[in-house]
Amino acid sequence: MENKTSTPPDFSIVIPVYNEEENIPELYKRLTAVMETLGTYEIIMVDDGSRDRSWELIKELHHKDPRIKGISFSRNFGHHMAITAGLDHVNGSIIIMMDADLQDSPEEIPRLYQKFKEGYDIVYGIRKVRRDPFLKRLTSAIFWWFLGRFSGVDMPAGQTMLRVLSRRVVTVLREMREYARFIHGMIAWTGFNATTMDVQHNPRYKGRSKYNIPRLFKLAFHAVTSFSIVPLRLATYMGLISSIVSFLAGLYFIYKKIFFNIPILGYASIIVSIFFVGGIQLLVLGIFGEYLGRTYQEVQRRPLYIVKEFLLENDKRT
Ligand code: UDP
Ligand code: MG
């Protein structure tokens, strides 16, 4: 596609969309109303293999308003891949990320932008009060605790997807082509000057959350294994501890046998220790397997996502 002498917009908003037909019209209305007050902008909606009318709606919006751009995947690749594709095609100098379900209010963007103008590269929206069902809040709390503890990257907890990024952050993100993506961690990892701001969090406008517990687990594994190799060291630590313990136990039994002639009792103790050691070995093997599988996926170097259709007029790239 030719670039028709268009100058890049001030803002690019990246929105992943997966079966959000009920939210797109309202999102468009509220987001454009806010963005009008801020400057020139483009909105890149990435349709992550929706099975509803989301892509048709995005197409309609694009024909009516060319500032709405669309990328549609050949199938569902996941939330973080959809964001990746959006970031790969932004033209603006300030990048805003948000979800399509209006859990973050577009009306918060001007406040985040004010903060950004103070000279930050990253302004995270933080939800002080989560407006999600109980189970979701619980699993998410465990998720963030786990990450804080094991991922080795300093990420503010309670982030929503709503955030403002400078162009140079996005340039770095574009260079990170790993398959296991955890965008929150990747952004923090860039190390640019970041701050947080509390934002209001809403229940989903319409529809249901696309994250279930297995998906959340997968994300948590990705998140930890892509930023830390601490779990691999677990094997060393556990091996060390169990050798010390068994050595001491051995000394104790020998001592009892020699000085008191007390035989070592114990079918139960043998069974328990076999299972204990077996359990640890399996756990460690599992962790190894996790990293091996990750490495395998990374060396395959498949494309991160496959695009079926672009609606990106005025864009230098095709
Ligand atoms: N999403 C996506 N691909 C997926 C799952 C979700 O693009 O496979 C989008 C979804 O349309 C929404 C955002 O990612 O815009 C966040 O999803 P959701 O609201 O279901 O997650 P939650 O807020 O419950 O964590
Ligand atoms: Mg949501």
Side-chain angles (χ1 to χ4, degrees):
M1 258 176 270
E2 267 301 293
N3 182 11
K4 302 179 198 116
T5 67
S6 61
T7 49
D10 301 331
F11 298 90
S12 294
I13 301 117
V14 172
I15 306 179
V17 173
Y18 182 51
N19 297 340
E20 303 283 6
E21 61 180 2
E22 297 169 306
N23 297 319
I24 289 172
E26 179 74 9
L27 173 68
Y28 172 74
K29 202 172 82 194
R30 282 172 55 186
L31 183 57
T32 48
V34 169
M35 295 314 297
E36 290 306 335
T37 65
L38 292 181
T40 56
Y41 62 92
E42 63 178 1
I43 300 176
I44 303 189
M45 295 199 187
V46 184
D47 175 34
D48 186 13
S50 298
R51 281 186 289 266
D52 66 358
R53 295 191 61 250
S54 298
W55 182 239
E56 276 85 77
L57 294 179
I58 294 169
K59 274 203 275 205
E60 276 169 30
L61 287 176
H62 172 75
H63 292 310
K64 196 170 79 181
D65 177 353
R67 290 171 306 183
I68 309 301
K69 300 178 180 183
I71 298 172
S72 130
F73 285 174
S74 62
R75 62 166 166 87
N76 181 251
F77 280 85
H79 185 191
H80 292 233
M81 290 303 181
I83 292 170
T84 302
L87 295 178
D88 287 344
H89 294 88
V90 293
N91 296 302
S93 42
I94 297 158
I95 290 89
I96 298 170
M97 278 163 44
M98 69 184 292
D99 287 341
D101 57 2
L102 290 165
Q103 287 200 272
D104 301 315
S105 309
E107 294 76 19
E108 298 276 16
I109 292 173
R111 279 178 55 230
L112 291 174
Y113 177 53
Q114 283 306 320
K115 193 81 194 170
F116 179 87
K117 279 201 295 195
E118 287 173 21
Y120 294 99
D121 283 283
I122 307 167
V123 182
Y124 297 106
I126 301 290
R127 49 197 167 195
K128 260 275 159 61
V129 182
R130 280 201 73 154
R131 305 291 303 278
D132 275 317
F134 174 73
L135 195 64
K136 175 90 197 176
R137 291 205 311 272
L138 181 73
T139 47
S140 175
I142 296 171
F143 178 80
W144 283 104
W145 174 83
F146 186 69
L147 287 188
R149 196 99 190 72
F150 297 107
S151 74
V153 179
D154 189 18
M155 288 175 252
Q159 302 173 28
T160 62
M161 210 29 109
L162 179 63
R163 63 199 53 208
V164 182
L165 306 173
S166 67
R167 184 83 204 178
R168 59 182 177 181
V169 174
V170 174
T171 305
V172 177
L173 292 178
R174 279 182 176 182
E175 282 169 17
M176 298 169 75
R177 303 316 287 178
E178 63 250 47
Y179 177 84
R181 311 209 123 218
F182 179 58
I183 298 277
H184 303 80
M186 291 164 63
I187 291 175
W189 182 86
T190 64
F192 284 116
N193 202 4
T195 187
T196 60
M197 175 167 254
D198 291 344
V199 295
Q200 198 199 324
H201 192 241
N202 314 305
R204 254 180 170 271
Y205 181 67
K206 289 277 169 59
R208 293 183 47 197
S209 170
K210 276 84 195 174
Y211 273 99
N212 47 26
I213 291 180
R215 272 198 151 188
L216 212 60
F217 260 101
K218 190 173 153 203
L219 189 66
F221 272 121
H222 274 181
V224 172
T225 54
S226 47
F227 290 100
S228 162
I229 54 163
V230 171
L232 285 175
R233 259 177 236 141
L234 220 60
T236 321
Y237 296 144
M238 287 197 296
L240 212 62
I241 290 169
S242 78
S243 330
I244 292 172
V245 169
S246 55
F247 181 70
L248 294 178
L251 284 184
Y252 175 68
F253 290 137
I254 290 169
Y255 164 82
K256 283 219 310 197
K257 176 76 183 159
I258 291 177
F259 291 97
F260 303 99
N261 201 21
I262 301 170
I264 300 134
L265 288 176
Y267 172 72
S269 59
I270 292 175
I271 290 293
V272 167
S273 36
I274 287 176
F275 275 102
F276 178 70
V277 174
I280 289 184
Q281 283 175 339
L282 284 181
L283 176 75
V284 168
L285 258 180
I287 295 173
F288 270 47
E290 192 67 39
Y291 279 91
L292 181 66
R294 283 279 324 272
T295 311
Y296 178 57
Q297 280 181 329
E298 299 297 348
V299 298
Q300 283 182 314
R301 295 215 139 265
R302 293 198 181 153
L304 299 179
Y305 51 84
I306 296 166
V307 175
K308 191 164 68 181
E309 205 177 337
F310 281 114
L311 294 174
L312 299 173
E313 265 123 73
N314 305 331
D315 187 357
K316 293 184 277 321
R317 287 167 291 272
T318 46

